[in-house]
Each structure stands twice: as structure tokens, then as C-alpha cells.
Amino acid sequence: MSGPTPLAPRPTWRSALGHVASLTLPRRSDYTGLSRSWRGDLVAGVTVGVVALPLALGFGVASGVGPAAGLITAIVAGFVAAVLGGSHLQVSGPTGAMTVVLIPVVARYGTEAVFALSILAGVLVIVMGLVGMGRLVSVIPWPVVEGFTLGIGVIIFLQQVPLALDTARPQVENATAAAVETLRVTDWARAVTPLAVTGGVVVLMVLLTRLRRSLPASLIAVAVATVVAELVSLDVERIGALPDALPSFQVPAWDSSALAAMLPSAMAIAALAALESLLSARVADGMVETVPDTDANRELVGQGMANVASGLFGGMPATGAIARTAVNVRAGARTRVAGASHAVVLVLIVLALTPVVALIPMSALAGVLIVTAFRMIDLRTGRAILRATRADAVVYLSTVVVTIVFDLIVAVQVGVAVAALLALRAMARVSGLTRCDLPPDLAPEEEDALLDEHVAVYHFRGALFFGGTKRFLDEMTAVKDVRVVVLALREVRVMDASGAHALGEIITDLRRRGITVLLKGLDAQQLRMSAAVGVLDALGDEGHYFDDLPAAVAHARNHVRFEVRGGAVLECGTGAAARAR
């Protein structure tokens, strides 16, 4: 005879500290296989560093914080996230999605506020990881992710219009409105030259990619544009002076009232950092089978620490970068050494090549980001979603539109909400309430006898939840000419409190009309919920709940005195026939 089930041990401060340590401290296992893969990791790090340089500069400029902040972010956040994050392949730094969020922040609070926001958002992301929110990204529907990505691509393209025309960006937060206003105020006679530089970079990147995908097309295109601009003395805006030393530690100025006002922005940045980082890590996991999958909660903690470090060194918020992570994997990375070494490559560039980087035309960076934006727009995937179902198309298009018109966080919220509503609608449609069919082999006189005795067996299927309770109430309250109703709930897969409450209302209404209600088939969890909301009390004191239909029918006989030939009892089924149980 087995004894009582032992109680689970209560969490202690030691276990809590162990949990925190498992999510925050590096592990020896992080570098398993490094003795075999270190050459490939270093090559991948150099490759990603070369690719990341123009992107870091471009995203820093596009966000309004400046190229130096973008470079610092790629170095500091890239190194910290690689060492402390939960992904072995992730490359972190400034991204296009983050620039979309930062532009209105810079316009409203100034560039200094970005550093404090990076720290505040980083703390929020750390908390998200510690409380176990890493798994939430798995519930985001595919159409939302793809619509979000397409919308970001469109916004990044629109953000490059001022850079491509060497025109000061209008003080307008919305990217579409800013692009339109830029076209209106641009001096087109002067804008021809930077526009030609942008177009040349786009064309050269496309050609180089088609020639050989392994070439660092963005770096080559920017280098060619810079050389041409210097040789011909083109009248175009340049990046200008950059720091020629490693960034120094500095605590941003804290204004409690300003921070309170910026808290919604910090929450949006934290949500975006978590979302984009986990999506990027999930993509990387699918590219290599021999590398352990990402620890989602540890990845959030690592990204949060990376953002805190970035803010303390004068950088902007960072996330995992999907494009750079993909380059990292394709270049042969197998451990986090690759991500860390890409940051070291950028440090060497800062120490040795700052005067050269300062000569890069801003319009050349616009060309790099335009190509990046178009690569984010996957028309094949979009067509597949639009052809899938009407619900998927609605979710996809609504996410795209809200991303472009409003912002990214609102778009994800709207997309998930629309997907949830449509899923609930579909669940309600496949759920139903059906009066039990009689067996075809039942003799006519017995069928008449059963009907004359006024017994009805109803079969619930699917979900009994808030999305379909009204329909069930309407159907059951229309029952007439019966003395006993048997509610068979064996195939109810989902039941929430609203569904249980509706069930109680059905029972109460039928009993008020003098109809006896017998309930059958709830599982243990549904039975506990029904008891909690008063369903079993509504049945009365006669014990009208049964575990199986034979017992329920036997009890019904005592009320209506009917007999079933051979002791067969009616069980609701799918189709025309009932089954004997």
C-alpha cells in the first residue's frame, strides 16, 4: 500500500539564488566543442564584424543618436550578449526595428535620454528572463511575426529617404509622414548627387550578392562609394568624427520625473528587445542541428545585461540581429566565441581605421539600409499567408498596417489580439450541442416509447467557453416536452469559468421549468471548476452527476420509467447512430 504523496519542497533563498545564477553566469558547457570549431568561429566573427560595421553606423544615424553610438552598441552589447546570453549563435547590436522605436524618443527627449532608457529597458528585460517569460514568444502566431517583419522593412526604407537625399529629417515621428515631408522640402538640385551614391551602393550590393553570396557586399559597396566620393570630391554629407578610443564608462544623468514619463517608452523598448532577440535566436536554432537550442530565459537575461552595459558606455538599446546572426551561422560559427570576436573586430576598427570611417558618405549608409529593408520583405511568404486562410490574411495585413501607421509594439499587440479573436471564433464554430440520435436498429415501438417518456440526451462537443456560451444557452432554454435532460460532456475539451457558469444557468433554468437534469462526463479539472462556480449545487441534492452514461440513464429510468431493449443505453456519438455502452 502506497503512502501519501510527498509534498513538493518549498522554494528557499538558496534555490532562488541558484536559479538566478543559472541564468546570469557563464558556464563551462557554453564552450563545448570549441577545440574543434575555434577556427570557424574566428572566421565567422571577422566576417560578421565586417558586415556589422556599416549596419551599426547606419542604424546609429537612422535612430538619431549618431554613428558613434551605433558602433559602441555593436561592441559593448554584442560582446556582453554573446558571453551571457542563452544562444550560442546570436549576434546582437543595433537593429532597424529598434531605430523605429528610438526616433520618436530622440525627438521628444533628446539623445541623452536614450542612454538612460537603454539601462531601464535592460533591467526590465532581465526581470522578464528571471520570471520565466522567455517562452511567451512561442505563442506569437506566424502571420504576426511575418507581418511585423514586413512592416519593419517598409519603415526602414522610409527612414532612409532623408539620408538618401542629404536632407535634414523633419521633426515628425511617423516614418511615412517624415518621408513625404522630406520629399516636399528637398533641394532636388543638390539631392541628385547623394541619391546617385545611394543608388550606386544598392546596385553594387545586389550585383556582388548575385556574384558570390559569401562576399561582404555591404562593406565593399560602402568602401567603393567612399573612394569615389573622395576621388571626385562629391558634395555629400559624411559620417564625420568618431571616437578613436574605446568607449568609457559613464552613468547617464537621471531625472526621476523624466524617467517616469519615459517608462512607457522603456517598456516598449524592452518588449521589442525581448521579442526580436528570441525570434532571431529561434531562427538560428533552426539553421544548425548540432548546436544546443537557445535557453530563452537566459537569453533575455543576457540581452538585458547587454542593454544595461550599452547604456553605461554611451550606446543605444540593442537586440539580437536576425541578419547578422544568419551571416554568423552561414560563415561557420558553432559557439558564442564567434559573436564575441565580432565585437573585438569592431574594436580594432575603432582603434585603427577611425579616420577612414569618418569619410563614409551618409547616403552610402542609406543604400546599405535600403537593401537590408528589401531583404526583410519576403513576398513569397506573404503570398503563402494570404492564400492560407482568410483569418491568417486578416492577421497578417492588420499587423503590417498597424506597424507602418502606428508602431511595432502596438502592431504585435493588435496582431496577437486579432489572431486570438479569430481563433476563438473558429473554436466556437466547431463546438456544438446536439440532441443524441437514436440507434437505427431500435424498434419503432421502443423509439416511440422513449420519446413519449420525454427523455432527451444532449451531447456537448468542442469547447464550452465564453465565446460560445450564449448559443448554448439559447438552444438549451428552448427545450420543450421533456421531463429529463441528460447532458453528456465527455467530448468537451475546453471549459472555462464562463462556460461552467453558463452550464449552471442552463441547469437552473431547466429545473425551474420542472425538468430534471443529469450531468455526465466531466474530467477532474472541469469537475473542480464546476464545483467552484456552483454547477453541482445547481444540480440539487439528489446526486445528479454521473461518471458514465449507463448510470445516468439508469437514474433517468426512475424518473420516466422507460426501458431499453437488452439493457442497451444511449450514448451520443458522431453521425446518425448512438452507441451502446
Side-chain angles (χ1 to χ4, degrees):
M1 181 174 178
S2 60
T5 303
L7 297 175
R10 293 182 179 179
T12 64
W13 64 272
R14 290 181 183 275
S15 62
L17 286 177
H19 172 68
V20 172
S22 68
L23 296 177
T24 56
L25 299 179
R27 309 170 186 172
R28 188 182 187 89
S29 60
D30 291 343
Y31 302 95
T32 300
L34 181 60
S35 60
R36 299 186 304 273
S37 67
W38 66 271
R39 292 182 180 84
D41 289 331
L42 292 180
V43 170
V46 173
T47 303
V48 177
V50 169
V51 172
L53 174 63
L55 292 175
L57 296 171
F59 288 136
V61 172
S63 65
V65 187
L71 194 56
I72 291 170
T73 305
I75 294 171
V76 177
F79 186 84
V80 173
V83 174
L84 300 179
S87 171
H88 293 259
L89 303 172
Q90 182 95 281
V91 177
S92 301
T95 62
M98 192 60 74
T99 65
V100 177
V101 178
L102 289 179
I103 284 177
V105 172
V106 173
R108 193 174 304 169
Y109 302 109
T111 57
E112 292 295 325
V114 173
F115 311 140
L117 270 178
S118 182
I119 297 173
L120 183 57
V123 172
L124 293 176
V125 176
I126 292 172
V127 173
M128 292 167 66
L130 293 177
V131 300
M133 295 180 65
R135 295 182 180 179
L136 291 182
V137 71
S138 63
V139 305
I140 299 177
W142 180 48
V144 174
V145 175
E146 293 299 332
F148 172 85
T149 304
L150 173 60
I152 291 174
V154 173
I155 292 177
I156 293 174
F157 171 78
L158 293 173
Q159 288 175 347
Q160 307 319 307
V161 173
L163 282 179
L165 300 174
D166 269 0
T167 302
R169 189 181 189 280
Q171 297 300 311
V172 180
E173 293 185 2
N174 183 269
T176 304
V180 172
E181 179 64 14
T182 299
L183 295 176
R184 190 184 67 83
V185 302
T186 293
D187 179 0
W188 289 96
R190 184 179 178 278
V192 172
T193 301
L195 187 59
V197 172
T198 301
V201 168
V202 170
V203 171
L204 186 54
M205 285 185 65
V206 172
L207 292 177
L208 288 172
T209 303
R210 291 184 177 180
L211 178 64
R212 189 171 182 179
R213 295 185 63 87
S214 61
L215 290 174
S218 58
L219 184 67
I220 294 174
V222 168
V224 170
T226 304
V227 170
V228 171
E230 282 297 299
L231 292 177
V232 187
S233 299
L234 295 180
D235 182 17
V236 292
E237 294 288 336
R238 311 298 180 103
I239 286 180
L242 289 172
D244 56 359
L246 295 179
S248 58
F249 180 88
Q250 54 184 1
V251 178
W254 296 90
D255 183 338
S256 57
S257 59
L259 282 178
M262 291 188 294
L263 184 59
S265 298
M267 295 175 65
I269 290 171
L272 179 59
L275 175 65
E276 191 172 10
S277 297
L278 292 179
L279 289 177
S280 174
R282 191 166 73 177
V283 170
D285 290 342
M287 296 178 70
V288 182
E289 297 181 356
T290 58
V291 175
D293 286 344
T294 299
D295 182 334
N297 291 322
R298 187 183 176 198
E299 178 65 15
L300 289 182
V301 173
Q303 291 292 338
M305 291 182 173
N307 276 277
V308 172
S310 179
L312 290 174
F313 283 90
M316 54 193 275
T319 74
I322 296 176
R324 273 158 278 175
T325 299
V327 170
N328 190 42
V329 176
R330 287 197 296 264
R334 292 299 178 268
T335 73
R336 58 189 67 229
V337 167
S341 60
H342 116 277
V344 175
V345 170
L346 293 176
V347 169
L348 296 177
I349 292 174
V350 168
L351 295 176
L353 300 177
T354 294
V356 176
V357 175
L359 301 176
I360 296 175
M362 302 285 275
S363 49
L365 297 180
V368 172
L369 297 183
I370 286 173
V371 174
T372 301
F374 273 97
R375 286 175 178 170
M376 296 179 69
I377 300 174
D378 190 343
L379 297 180
R380 180 181 300 177
T381 299
R383 284 194 296 267
I385 295 174
L386 294 176
R387 292 171 180 172
T389 66
R390 183 176 300 177
D392 290 323
V394 170
V395 172
Y396 178 70
L397 293 176
S398 61
T399 305
V400 172
V401 171
V402 176
T403 300
I404 297 172
V405 176
F406 296 100
D407 64 58
L408 308 180
I409 303 304
V410 174
V412 173
Q413 293 171 344
V414 170
V416 171
V418 171
L421 289 175
L422 293 175
L424 292 175
R425 180 187 177 198
M427 188 183 297
R429 283 183 172 181
V430 300
S431 302
L433 173 68
T434 307
R435 188 160 179 170
C436 185
D437 296 332
L438 297 174
D441 57 346
L442 190 64
E445 61 273 18
E446 292 182 350
E447 179 179 343
D448 293 339
L450 182 60
L451 292 176
D452 288 344
E453 292 294 344
H454 306 300
V455 175
V457 180
Y458 281 89
H459 172 61
F460 283 92
R461 68 180 184 278
L464 186 58
F465 71 118
F466 69 91
T469 55
K470 185 180 185 305
R471 178 160 57 90
F472 294 149
L473 283 170
D474 293 342
E475 291 185 31
M476 288 304 302
T477 53
V479 172
K480 296 180 180 178
D481 301 327
V482 297
R483 295 181 58 188
V484 177
V485 169
V486 180
L487 301 180
L489 307 175
R490 181 171 57 89
E491 294 190 20
V492 172
R493 306 304 182 197
V494 177
M495 184 169 71
D496 65 0
S498 297
H501 178 69
L503 186 61
E505 289 185 334
I506 290 171
I507 295 170
T508 300
D509 178 78
L510 293 175
R511 293 195 66 196
R512 190 183 297 120
R513 292 157 52 191
I515 300 173
T516 299
V517 181
L518 310 182
L519 205 62
K520 172 263 174 186
L522 293 172
D523 63 27
Q525 182 179 0
Q526 294 167 350
L527 189 60
R528 285 194 298 270
M529 182 184 299
S530 300
V533 301
V535 173
L536 300 186
D537 294 336
L539 285 173
D541 299 328
E542 295 85 356
H544 286 165
Y545 174 75
F546 302 88
D547 290 326
D548 54 60
L549 195 60
V553 172
H555 194 87
R557 286 182 182 143
N558 295 329
H559 288 275
V560 297
R561 299 182 306 278
F562 78 92
E563 294 182 355
V564 176
R565 182 181 59 185
V569 282
L570 298 177
E571 170 68 36
C572 291
T574 303
R579 296 181 176 88
R581 296 288 185 188

